[in-house]
Amino acid sequence: MILAINTAQVQHEMALLRENPASPGEWELISEKIWLDTRNAVEELPAFLKKLLEETGTQKEEIKQIIVVRGPGSFTALRTGVAFANALAEGLHAKLYAIDTFELLRRKAALADPILVILHAGRMDAGVQFQDEEIKVGMLAPLLKDYPHGSGICVVAQLNETLQEELHSLILEKKWRVVEGHELQTLGEMLMTHGVEQLEEKNTVEPLYLKGPHITHSSDPWKQ
């Protein structure tokens, strides 16, 4: 049994899959929960796991593999999801796997065309990864200027409203295709195709951030 957890996106996801007894190596999606980030993941994750198990008649001990999205994503929600997966895997003696958000979105897009994934990196910065190249972080226009026009490039983006408007103009100029949110598979649907293929087993998963959290330091010298 596979349990998958994603708190790296605005829409959080938790999916439960089992191997098809008639076709070893193929996975069936038993149940999946999708909910908007309410900044209350500490309470929501155990509650949604309990619902999944109760609705499917599954015992927690049947979970043998846990997959968690390690980021980039919202600092607090991501940290909570990764910590929950780490603790659960240790308690259940389950195998633990991690996938980053860039690879997650490429797999969710399920396209043969080259894919450019763009994520919000905080304030007015973005993180960009084309296929499996190195992740680049900075201002959006300079990051994208060297990528060719056309060439069948598809774009999957998760940005704030301001950056989304800037990206829209750049995409029109570059003549790229945007993969809309409704075209992406869910976490569970993606795993039915890929399972844990090409995912590295981990003892402990560390969150991945494009930049450190913005912390306002106190002017009180005793708190610094």
Side-chain angles (χ1 to χ4, degrees), residues 43-118:
E43 295 182 5
E44 290 173 338
L45 289 170
F48 278 110
L49 176 57
K50 183 179 179 182
K51 287 182 181 179
L52 279 181
L53 297 175
E54 289 176 348
E55 291 174 1
T56 60
T58 303
Q59 299 298 312
K60 190 184 294 185
E61 291 70 24
E62 295 180 63
I63 299 170
K64 302 301 181 185
Q65 300 177 90
I66 296 174
I67 300 170
V68 64
V69 183
R70 69 186 185 103
S74 170
F75 181 80
T76 301
L78 182 60
R79 181 181 57 185
T80 303
V82 169
F84 181 75
N86 283 331
L88 195 60
E90 183 177 0
L92 296 175
H93 304 289
K95 292 182 178 180
L96 180 63
Y97 301 88
I99 183 170
D100 67 57
T101 313
F102 291 99
E103 178 63 22
L104 173 73
L105 291 175
R106 277 195 296 272
R107 292 189 180 199
K108 281 187 170 186
L111 296 171
D113 297 320
I115 297 176
L116 181 68
V117 180
I118 307 172

Side-chain angles (χ1 to χ4, degrees), residues 14 70 83 87 90 98 101 110 124 148 150 154-155 162 173-174 195 206:
M14 183 179 289
R70 69 186 185 103
E90 183 177 0
T101 313
M124 295 306 295
C154 295
V155 176
T162 302
E173 177 188 339
K174 295 279 192 177
E206 296 292 335

Side-chain angles (χ1 to χ4, degrees), residues 102-169:
F102 291 99
E103 178 63 22
L104 173 73
L105 291 175
R106 277 195 296 272
R107 292 189 180 199
K108 281 187 170 186
L111 296 171
D113 297 320
I115 297 176
L116 181 68
V117 180
I118 307 172
L119 302 176
H120 187 212
R123 298 194 173 183
M124 295 306 295
D125 284 338
V128 171
Q129 188 179 45
F130 182 62
Q131 299 295 85
D132 57 355
E133 295 177 357
E134 181 181 354
I135 297 169
K136 301 174 184 177
V137 179
M139 300 294 286
L140 193 57
L143 287 178
L144 300 183
K145 69 180 180 63
D146 292 332
Y147 291 103
H149 289 61
S151 303
I153 292 178
C154 295
V155 176
V156 182
Q158 293 189 349
L159 300 167
N160 62 20
E161 186 175 347
T162 302
L163 287 176
Q164 193 68 49
E165 290 178 1
E166 181 182 356
L167 177 62
H168 179 69
S169 299

